[in-house]
PDB file of all heavy atoms in Angstrom:
ATOM      1  N   LEU E   9     -77.178 -10.406 -24.052  1.00 44.00           N
ATOM      2  CA  LEU E   9     -77.278  -9.600 -25.394  1.00 44.00           C
ATOM      3  C   LEU E   9     -75.974  -9.636 -26.161  1.00 44.00           C
ATOM      4  O   LEU E   9     -75.864  -9.852 -27.330  1.00 44.00           O
ATOM      5  CB  LEU E   9     -77.799  -8.258 -25.255  1.00 44.00           C
ATOM      6  CG  LEU E   9     -79.193  -8.099 -24.767  1.00 44.00           C
ATOM      7  CD1 LEU E   9     -79.532  -6.519 -24.619  1.00 44.00           C
ATOM      8  CD2 LEU E   9     -80.090  -8.461 -26.096  1.00 44.00           C
ATOM      9  N   LEU E  10     -74.821  -9.370 -25.374  1.00 46.00           N
ATOM     10  CA  LEU E  10     -73.508  -9.422 -26.059  1.00 46.00           C
ATOM     11  C   LEU E  10     -73.194 -10.842 -26.678  1.00 46.00           C
ATOM     12  O   LEU E  10     -72.649 -10.857 -27.757  1.00 46.00           O
ATOM     13  CB  LEU E  10     -72.418  -8.999 -25.017  1.00 46.00           C
ATOM     14  CG  LEU E  10     -72.357  -7.478 -24.671  1.00 46.00           C
ATOM     15  CD1 LEU E  10     -71.362  -7.279 -23.582  1.00 46.00           C
ATOM     16  CD2 LEU E  10     -72.014  -6.746 -25.905  1.00 46.00           C
ATOM     17  N   TYR E  11     -73.616 -11.825 -25.902  1.00 43.00           N
ATOM     18  CA  TYR E  11     -73.324 -13.243 -26.277  1.00 43.00           C
ATOM     19  C   TYR E  11     -74.174 -13.502 -27.578  1.00 43.00           C
ATOM     20  O   TYR E  11     -73.583 -14.069 -28.561  1.00 43.00           O
ATOM     21  CB  TYR E  11     -73.796 -14.321 -25.137  1.00 43.00           C
ATOM     22  CG  TYR E  11     -73.831 -15.585 -25.653  1.00 43.00           C
ATOM     23  CD1 TYR E  11     -72.508 -16.295 -25.673  1.00 43.00           C
ATOM     24  CD2 TYR E  11     -74.975 -16.228 -26.071  1.00 43.00           C
ATOM     25  CE1 TYR E  11     -72.531 -17.716 -26.124  1.00 43.00           C
ATOM     26  CE2 TYR E  11     -74.856 -17.611 -26.412  1.00 43.00           C
ATOM     27  CZ  TYR E  11     -73.737 -18.284 -26.445  1.00 43.00           C
ATOM     28  OH  TYR E  11     -73.688 -19.604 -26.931  1.00 43.00           O
ATOM     29  N   GLN E  12     -75.307 -13.135 -27.543  1.00 47.00           N
ATOM     30  CA  GLN E  12     -76.151 -13.269 -28.710  1.00 47.00           C
ATOM     31  C   GLN E  12     -75.619 -12.583 -29.984  1.00 47.00           C
ATOM     32  O   GLN E  12     -75.641 -12.991 -31.140  1.00 47.00           O
ATOM     33  CB  GLN E  12     -77.688 -12.930 -28.469  1.00 47.00           C
ATOM     34  CG  GLN E  12     -78.327 -13.754 -27.473  1.00 47.00           C
ATOM     35  CD  GLN E  12     -78.512 -15.245 -27.994  1.00 47.00           C
ATOM     36  OE1 GLN E  12     -78.619 -15.483 -29.206  1.00 47.00           O
ATOM     37  NE2 GLN E  12     -78.411 -16.128 -27.159  1.00 47.00           N
ATOM     38  N   PHE E  13     -75.158 -11.371 -29.702  1.00 39.00           N
ATOM     39  CA  PHE E  13     -74.543 -10.479 -30.791  1.00 39.00           C
ATOM     40  C   PHE E  13     -73.327 -11.029 -31.452  1.00 39.00           C
ATOM     41  O   PHE E  13     -73.227 -11.278 -32.604  1.00 39.00           O
ATOM     42  CB  PHE E  13     -74.297  -9.126 -30.246  1.00 39.00           C
ATOM     43  CG  PHE E  13     -73.569  -8.237 -31.252  1.00 39.00           C
ATOM     44  CD1 PHE E  13     -74.291  -7.563 -32.205  1.00 39.00           C
ATOM     45  CD2 PHE E  13     -72.272  -7.916 -31.075  1.00 39.00           C
ATOM     46  CE1 PHE E  13     -73.681  -6.721 -33.105  1.00 39.00           C
ATOM     47  CE2 PHE E  13     -71.668  -7.002 -32.130  1.00 39.00           C
ATOM     48  CZ  PHE E  13     -72.359  -6.509 -32.957  1.00 39.00           C
ATOM     49  N   PHE E  14     -72.421 -11.490 -30.490  1.00 41.00           N
ATOM     50  CA  PHE E  14     -71.061 -12.041 -31.007  1.00 41.00           C
ATOM     51  C   PHE E  14     -71.302 -13.444 -31.665  1.00 41.00           C
ATOM     52  O   PHE E  14     -70.790 -13.904 -32.627  1.00 41.00           O
ATOM     53  CB  PHE E  14     -70.090 -12.109 -29.940  1.00 41.00           C
ATOM     54  CG  PHE E  14     -69.468 -10.823 -29.633  1.00 41.00           C
ATOM     55  CD1 PHE E  14     -69.814 -10.284 -28.343  1.00 41.00           C
ATOM     56  CD2 PHE E  14     -68.671  -9.980 -30.507  1.00 41.00           C
ATOM     57  CE1 PHE E  14     -69.196  -8.982 -27.974  1.00 41.00           C
ATOM     58  CE2 PHE E  14     -68.133  -8.983 -30.181  1.00 41.00           C
ATOM     59  CZ  PHE E  14     -68.411  -8.359 -29.068  1.00 41.00           C
ATOM     60  N   ASN E  15     -72.381 -14.242 -30.977  1.00 48.00           N
ATOM     61  CA  ASN E  15     -72.803 -15.526 -31.556  1.00 48.00           C
ATOM     62  C   ASN E  15     -73.345 -15.426 -32.994  1.00 48.00           C
ATOM     63  O   ASN E  15     -73.095 -16.140 -33.791  1.00 48.00           O
ATOM     64  CB  ASN E  15     -73.738 -16.241 -30.653  1.00 48.00           C
ATOM     65  CG  ASN E  15     -73.769 -17.736 -31.021  1.00 48.00           C
ATOM     66  OD1 ASN E  15     -72.758 -18.394 -31.149  1.00 48.00           O
ATOM     67  ND2 ASN E  15     -74.967 -18.154 -31.094  1.00 48.00           N
ATOM     68  N   GLY E  16     -74.165 -14.202 -33.113  1.00 45.00           N
ATOM     69  CA  GLY E  16     -74.787 -14.118 -34.509  1.00 45.00           C
ATOM     70  C   GLY E  16     -73.802 -13.575 -35.480  1.00 45.00           C
ATOM     71  O   GLY E  16     -73.781 -14.121 -36.648  1.00 45.00           O
ATOM     72  N   ILE E  17     -72.699 -12.860 -35.037  1.00 41.00           N
ATOM     73  CA  ILE E  17     -71.586 -12.521 -35.877  1.00 41.00           C
ATOM     74  C   ILE E  17     -70.873 -13.806 -36.332  1.00 41.00           C
ATOM     75  O   ILE E  17     -70.505 -13.927 -37.498  1.00 41.00           O
ATOM     76  CB  ILE E  17     -70.729 -11.500 -35.223  1.00 41.00           C
ATOM     77  CG1 ILE E  17     -71.305 -10.207 -35.076  1.00 41.00           C
ATOM     78  CG2 ILE E  17     -69.313 -11.323 -36.022  1.00 41.00           C
ATOM     79  CD1 ILE E  17     -70.575  -9.101 -34.308  1.00 41.00           C
ATOM     80  N   GLN E  18     -70.580 -14.716 -35.339  1.00 51.00           N
ATOM     81  CA  GLN E  18     -69.923 -15.924 -35.654  1.00 51.00           C
ATOM     82  C   GLN E  18     -70.653 -16.611 -36.677  1.00 51.00           C
ATOM     83  O   GLN E  18     -70.061 -17.372 -37.597  1.00 51.00           O
ATOM     84  CB  GLN E  18     -69.710 -16.624 -34.273  1.00 51.00           C
ATOM     85  CG  GLN E  18     -68.631 -16.118 -33.373  1.00 51.00           C
ATOM     86  CD  GLN E  18     -68.192 -17.011 -32.289  1.00 51.00           C
ATOM     87  OE1 GLN E  18     -69.139 -17.641 -31.749  1.00 51.00           O
ATOM     88  NE2 GLN E  18     -66.979 -17.026 -32.033  1.00 51.00           N
ATOM     89  N   ASP E  19     -72.102 -16.756 -36.459  1.00 54.00           N
ATOM     90  CA  ASP E  19     -72.759 -17.571 -37.314  1.00 54.00           C
ATOM     91  C   ASP E  19     -72.732 -16.977 -38.764  1.00 54.00           C
ATOM     92  O   ASP E  19     -72.691 -17.682 -39.724  1.00 54.00           O
ATOM     93  CB  ASP E  19     -74.267 -17.669 -36.881  1.00 54.00           C
ATOM     94  CG  ASP E  19     -74.465 -18.579 -35.621  1.00 54.00           C
ATOM     95  OD1 ASP E  19     -73.523 -19.341 -35.398  1.00 54.00           O
ATOM     96  OD2 ASP E  19     -75.491 -18.262 -34.937  1.00 54.00           O
ATOM     97  N   MET E  20     -72.830 -15.684 -38.786  1.00 56.00           N
ATOM     98  CA  MET E  20     -72.623 -15.029 -40.170  1.00 56.00           C
ATOM     99  C   MET E  20     -71.348 -15.366 -40.730  1.00 56.00           C
ATOM    100  O   MET E  20     -71.188 -15.699 -42.000  1.00 56.00           O
ATOM    101  CB  MET E  20     -72.904 -13.480 -40.052  1.00 56.00           C
ATOM    102  CG  MET E  20     -74.249 -13.109 -39.649  1.00 56.00           C
ATOM    103  SD  MET E  20     -74.365 -11.268 -39.459  1.00 56.00           S
ATOM    104  CE  MET E  20     -73.974 -10.713 -40.926  1.00 56.00           C
ATOM    105  N   ASN E  21     -70.149 -15.240 -40.048  1.00 76.00           N
ATOM    106  CA  ASN E  21     -68.907 -15.496 -40.542  1.00 76.00           C
ATOM    107  C   ASN E  21     -68.807 -16.900 -40.979  1.00 76.00           C
ATOM    108  O   ASN E  21     -68.272 -17.294 -41.964  1.00 76.00           O
ATOM    109  CB  ASN E  21     -67.870 -15.297 -39.489  1.00 76.00           C
ATOM    110  CG  ASN E  21     -67.714 -13.720 -39.222  1.00 76.00           C
ATOM    111  OD1 ASN E  21     -68.067 -12.941 -40.186  1.00 76.00           O
ATOM    112  ND2 ASN E  21     -67.181 -13.334 -38.021  1.00 76.00           N
ATOM    113  N   ARG E  22     -69.299 -17.823 -40.122  1.00 79.00           N
ATOM    114  CA  ARG E  22     -69.367 -19.309 -40.363  1.00 79.00           C
ATOM    115  C   ARG E  22     -70.053 -19.472 -41.735  1.00 79.00           C
ATOM    116  O   ARG E  22     -69.487 -20.256 -42.547  1.00 79.00           O
ATOM    117  CB  ARG E  22     -69.958 -20.049 -39.345  1.00 79.00           C
ATOM    118  CG  ARG E  22     -69.836 -21.554 -39.427  1.00 79.00           C
ATOM    119  CD  ARG E  22     -70.394 -22.193 -38.126  1.00 79.00           C
ATOM    120  NE  ARG E  22     -70.050 -23.578 -38.147  1.00 79.00           N
ATOM    121  CZ  ARG E  22     -71.029 -24.385 -38.670  1.00 79.00           C
ATOM    122  NH1 ARG E  22     -72.112 -23.879 -39.414  1.00 79.00           N
ATOM    123  NH2 ARG E  22     -70.734 -25.707 -38.871  1.00 79.00           N
ATOM    124  N   LYS E  23     -71.299 -18.921 -41.927  1.00 85.00           N
ATOM    125  CA  LYS E  23     -71.976 -19.155 -43.243  1.00 85.00           C
ATOM    126  C   LYS E  23     -71.178 -18.533 -44.405  1.00 85.00           C
ATOM    127  O   LYS E  23     -71.100 -19.025 -45.354  1.00 85.00           O
ATOM    128  CB  LYS E  23     -73.351 -18.379 -43.054  1.00 85.00           C
ATOM    129  CG  LYS E  23     -74.205 -18.608 -44.340  1.00 85.00           C
ATOM    130  CD  LYS E  23     -75.495 -17.941 -44.106  1.00 85.00           C
ATOM    131  CE  LYS E  23     -76.435 -18.137 -45.228  1.00 85.00           C
ATOM    132  NZ  LYS E  23     -75.895 -17.795 -46.571  1.00 85.00           N
ATOM    133  N   ASP E  24     -70.554 -17.442 -44.098  1.00 85.00           N
ATOM    134  CA  ASP E  24     -69.697 -16.828 -45.229  1.00 85.00           C
ATOM    135  C   ASP E  24     -68.592 -17.673 -45.650  1.00 85.00           C
ATOM    136  O   ASP E  24     -68.391 -17.923 -46.866  1.00 85.00           O
ATOM    137  CB  ASP E  24     -69.175 -15.501 -44.885  1.00 85.00           C
ATOM    138  CG  ASP E  24     -70.385 -14.273 -44.604  1.00 85.00           C
ATOM    139  OD1 ASP E  24     -71.406 -14.530 -45.300  1.00 85.00           O
ATOM    140  OD2 ASP E  24     -70.081 -13.401 -44.081  1.00 85.00           O
ATOM    141  N   TYR E  25     -67.906 -18.317 -44.716  1.00 86.00           N
ATOM    142  CA  TYR E  25     -66.853 -19.102 -44.955  1.00 86.00           C
ATOM    143  C   TYR E  25     -67.311 -20.394 -45.750  1.00 86.00           C
ATOM    144  O   TYR E  25     -66.754 -20.847 -46.739  1.00 86.00           O
ATOM    145  CB  TYR E  25     -66.124 -19.607 -43.729  1.00 86.00           C
ATOM    146  CG  TYR E  25     -65.348 -18.478 -43.054  1.00 86.00           C
ATOM    147  CD1 TYR E  25     -65.248 -18.428 -41.702  1.00 86.00           C
ATOM    148  CD2 TYR E  25     -64.636 -17.517 -43.816  1.00 86.00           C
ATOM    149  CE1 TYR E  25     -64.592 -17.292 -41.028  1.00 86.00           C
ATOM    150  CE2 TYR E  25     -63.994 -16.547 -43.258  1.00 86.00           C
ATOM    151  CZ  TYR E  25     -63.879 -16.403 -41.732  1.00 86.00           C
ATOM    152  OH  TYR E  25     -63.265 -15.458 -41.158  1.00 86.00           O
ATOM    153  N   ILE E  26     -68.323 -20.934 -45.267  1.00 87.00           N
ATOM    154  CA  ILE E  26     -68.874 -22.174 -45.948  1.00 87.00           C
ATOM    155  C   ILE E  26     -69.388 -21.871 -47.207  1.00 87.00           C
ATOM    156  O   ILE E  26     -69.252 -22.731 -48.245  1.00 87.00           O
ATOM    157  CB  ILE E  26     -70.093 -22.714 -45.004  1.00 87.00           C
ATOM    158  CG1 ILE E  26     -69.485 -23.382 -43.692  1.00 87.00           C
ATOM    159  CG2 ILE E  26     -70.764 -23.983 -45.839  1.00 87.00           C
ATOM    160  CD1 ILE E  26     -70.544 -23.924 -42.703  1.00 87.00           C
ATOM    161  N   ASP E  27     -70.006 -20.757 -47.513  1.00 88.00           N
ATOM    162  CA  ASP E  27     -70.459 -20.332 -48.841  1.00 88.00           C
ATOM    163  C   ASP E  27     -69.384 -20.145 -49.766  1.00 88.00           C
ATOM    164  O   ASP E  27     -69.327 -20.562 -50.889  1.00 88.00           O
ATOM    165  CB  ASP E  27     -71.428 -19.156 -48.710  1.00 88.00           C
ATOM    166  CG  ASP E  27     -72.672 -19.443 -48.077  1.00 88.00           C
ATOM    167  OD1 ASP E  27     -73.101 -20.500 -47.961  1.00 88.00           O
ATOM    168  OD2 ASP E  27     -73.420 -18.288 -47.720  1.00 88.00           O
ATOM    169  N   LYS E  28     -68.215 -19.591 -49.272  1.00 87.00           N
ATOM    170  CA  LYS E  28     -67.117 -19.284 -50.092  1.00 87.00           C
ATOM    171  C   LYS E  28     -66.310 -20.501 -50.469  1.00 87.00           C
ATOM    172  O   LYS E  28     -65.993 -20.769 -51.636  1.00 87.00           O
ATOM    173  CB  LYS E  28     -66.063 -18.480 -49.346  1.00 87.00           C
ATOM    174  CG  LYS E  28     -64.773 -18.070 -50.010  1.00 87.00           C
ATOM    175  CD  LYS E  28     -63.936 -17.273 -49.274  1.00 87.00           C
ATOM    176  CE  LYS E  28     -64.293 -15.798 -49.165  1.00 87.00           C
ATOM    177  NZ  LYS E  28     -63.332 -14.924 -48.582  1.00 87.00           N
ATOM    178  N   ILE E  29     -66.299 -21.550 -49.479  1.00 85.00           N
ATOM    179  CA  ILE E  29     -65.786 -22.826 -49.779  1.00 85.00           C
ATOM    180  C   ILE E  29     -66.406 -23.653 -50.840  1.00 85.00           C
ATOM    181  O   ILE E  29     -65.855 -24.161 -51.850  1.00 85.00           O
ATOM    182  CB  ILE E  29     -65.558 -23.683 -48.418  1.00 85.00           C
ATOM    183  CG1 ILE E  29     -64.658 -23.074 -47.467  1.00 85.00           C
ATOM    184  CG2 ILE E  29     -65.306 -25.125 -48.783  1.00 85.00           C
ATOM    185  CD1 ILE E  29     -64.788 -23.720 -46.073  1.00 85.00           C
ATOM    186  N   ALA E  30     -67.787 -23.692 -50.667  1.00 87.00           N
ATOM    187  CA  ALA E  30     -68.637 -24.293 -51.624  1.00 87.00           C
ATOM    188  C   ALA E  30     -68.613 -23.702 -53.004  1.00 87.00           C
ATOM    189  O   ALA E  30     -68.602 -24.413 -54.036  1.00 87.00           O
ATOM    190  CB  ALA E  30     -70.266 -24.160 -51.081  1.00 87.00           C
ATOM    191  N   LYS E  31     -68.577 -22.376 -53.052  1.00 88.00           N
ATOM    192  CA  LYS E  31     -68.306 -21.729 -54.425  1.00 88.00           C
ATOM    193  C   LYS E  31     -67.104 -22.141 -55.123  1.00 88.00           C
ATOM    194  O   LYS E  31     -67.011 -22.409 -56.315  1.00 88.00           O
ATOM    195  CB  LYS E  31     -68.337 -20.179 -54.192  1.00 88.00           C
ATOM    196  CG  LYS E  31     -68.229 -19.420 -55.520  1.00 88.00           C
ATOM    197  CD  LYS E  31     -68.115 -17.881 -55.355  1.00 88.00           C
ATOM    198  CE  LYS E  31     -66.901 -17.480 -54.584  1.00 88.00           C
ATOM    199  NZ  LYS E  31     -66.857 -15.887 -54.563  1.00 88.00           N
ATOM    200  N   TYR E  32     -65.972 -22.086 -54.328  1.00 83.00           N
ATOM    201  CA  TYR E  32     -64.740 -22.343 -55.028  1.00 83.00           C
ATOM    202  C   TYR E  32     -64.495 -23.931 -55.404  1.00 83.00           C
ATOM    203  O   TYR E  32     -64.044 -24.202 -56.468  1.00 83.00           O
ATOM    204  CB  TYR E  32     -63.523 -21.846 -54.220  1.00 83.00           C
ATOM    205  CG  TYR E  32     -63.334 -20.386 -54.198  1.00 83.00           C
ATOM    206  CD1 TYR E  32     -63.431 -19.639 -53.094  1.00 83.00           C
ATOM    207  CD2 TYR E  32     -63.028 -19.698 -55.386  1.00 83.00           C
ATOM    208  CE1 TYR E  32     -63.299 -18.104 -53.015  1.00 83.00           C
ATOM    209  CE2 TYR E  32     -62.767 -18.407 -55.533  1.00 83.00           C
ATOM    210  CZ  TYR E  32     -63.126 -17.658 -54.239  1.00 83.00           C
ATOM    211  OH  TYR E  32     -62.861 -16.210 -54.260  1.00 83.00           O
ATOM    212  N   LEU E  33     -65.051 -24.706 -54.525  1.00 86.00           N
ATOM    213  CA  LEU E  33     -65.075 -26.073 -54.717  1.00 86.00           C
ATOM    214  C   LEU E  33     -65.898 -26.395 -55.978  1.00 86.00           C
ATOM    215  O   LEU E  33     -65.423 -27.187 -56.911  1.00 86.00           O
ATOM    216  CB  LEU E  33     -65.614 -26.952 -53.666  1.00 86.00           C
ATOM    217  CG  LEU E  33     -64.641 -27.102 -52.455  1.00 86.00           C
ATOM    218  CD1 LEU E  33     -65.272 -27.840 -51.243  1.00 86.00           C
ATOM    219  CD2 LEU E  33     -63.285 -27.805 -52.852  1.00 86.00           C
ATOM    220  N   ALA E  34     -67.034 -25.788 -56.147  1.00 86.00           N
ATOM    221  CA  ALA E  34     -67.901 -25.982 -57.404  1.00 86.00           C
ATOM    222  C   ALA E  34     -67.309 -25.565 -58.544  1.00 86.00           C
ATOM    223  O   ALA E  34     -67.316 -26.116 -59.572  1.00 86.00           O
ATOM    224  CB  ALA E  34     -69.248 -25.355 -57.176  1.00 86.00           C
ATOM    225  N   ARG E  35     -66.523 -24.497 -58.467  1.00 83.00           N
ATOM    226  CA  ARG E  35     -65.724 -23.857 -59.691  1.00 83.00           C
ATOM    227  C   ARG E  35     -64.634 -24.865 -60.116  1.00 83.00           C
ATOM    228  O   ARG E  35     -64.397 -25.074 -61.207  1.00 83.00           O
ATOM    229  CB  ARG E  35     -65.157 -22.448 -59.242  1.00 83.00           C
ATOM    230  CG  ARG E  35     -64.310 -21.827 -60.280  1.00 83.00           C
ATOM    231  CD  ARG E  35     -63.993 -20.484 -59.853  1.00 83.00           C
ATOM    232  NE  ARG E  35     -64.975 -19.487 -59.648  1.00 83.00           N
ATOM    233  CZ  ARG E  35     -64.914 -18.276 -59.142  1.00 83.00           C
ATOM    234  NH1 ARG E  35     -63.633 -17.832 -58.887  1.00 83.00           N
ATOM    235  NH2 ARG E  35     -65.861 -17.449 -59.075  1.00 83.00           N
ATOM    236  N   PHE E  36     -63.978 -25.509 -59.101  1.00 83.00           N
ATOM    237  CA  PHE E  36     -63.004 -26.384 -59.328  1.00 83.00           C
ATOM    238  C   PHE E  36     -63.519 -27.574 -60.186  1.00 83.00           C
ATOM    239  O   PHE E  36     -62.979 -28.172 -61.149  1.00 83.00           O
ATOM    240  CB  PHE E  36     -62.298 -26.795 -58.091  1.00 83.00           C
ATOM    241  CG  PHE E  36     -61.233 -27.848 -58.328  1.00 83.00           C
ATOM    242  CD1 PHE E  36     -60.131 -27.618 -59.175  1.00 83.00           C
ATOM    243  CD2 PHE E  36     -61.224 -29.026 -57.700  1.00 83.00           C
ATOM    244  CE1 PHE E  36     -59.212 -28.491 -59.392  1.00 83.00           C
ATOM    245  CE2 PHE E  36     -60.271 -30.007 -57.939  1.00 83.00           C
ATOM    246  CZ  PHE E  36     -59.134 -29.761 -58.703  1.00 83.00           C
ATOM    247  N   VAL E  37     -64.745 -28.108 -59.801  1.00 83.00           N
ATOM    248  CA  VAL E  37     -65.272 -29.195 -60.365  1.00 83.00           C
ATOM    249  C   VAL E  37     -65.678 -28.877 -61.861  1.00 83.00           C
ATOM    250  O   VAL E  37     -65.503 -29.784 -62.779  1.00 83.00           O
ATOM    251  CB  VAL E  37     -66.803 -29.643 -59.679  1.00 83.00           C
ATOM    252  CG1 VAL E  37     -67.507 -30.622 -60.516  1.00 83.00           C
ATOM    253  CG2 VAL E  37     -66.354 -30.270 -58.313  1.00 83.00           C
TER     254      VAL E  37
END
């Protein structure tokens, strides 16, 4: 359960980072 919890947090953080990168790159274009 701890593994799934932290893995879920990592997935959320990973998605947040990718979304932020995509947003700023699109703004630059």
Side-chain angles (χ1 to χ4, degrees):
L9 286 175
L10 285 176
Y11 172 79
Q12 293 296 329
F13 175 74
F14 287 112
N15 193 50
I17 292 175
Q18 284 187 324
D19 286 344
M20 289 176 62
N21 289 339
R22 187 171 183 279
K23 182 179 184 302
D24 289 342
Y25 291 143
I26 291 174
D27 288 346
K28 180 181 286 188
I29 293 168
K31 179 183 73 174
Y32 286 118
L33 287 177
R35 181 177 293 178
F36 180 55
V37 169

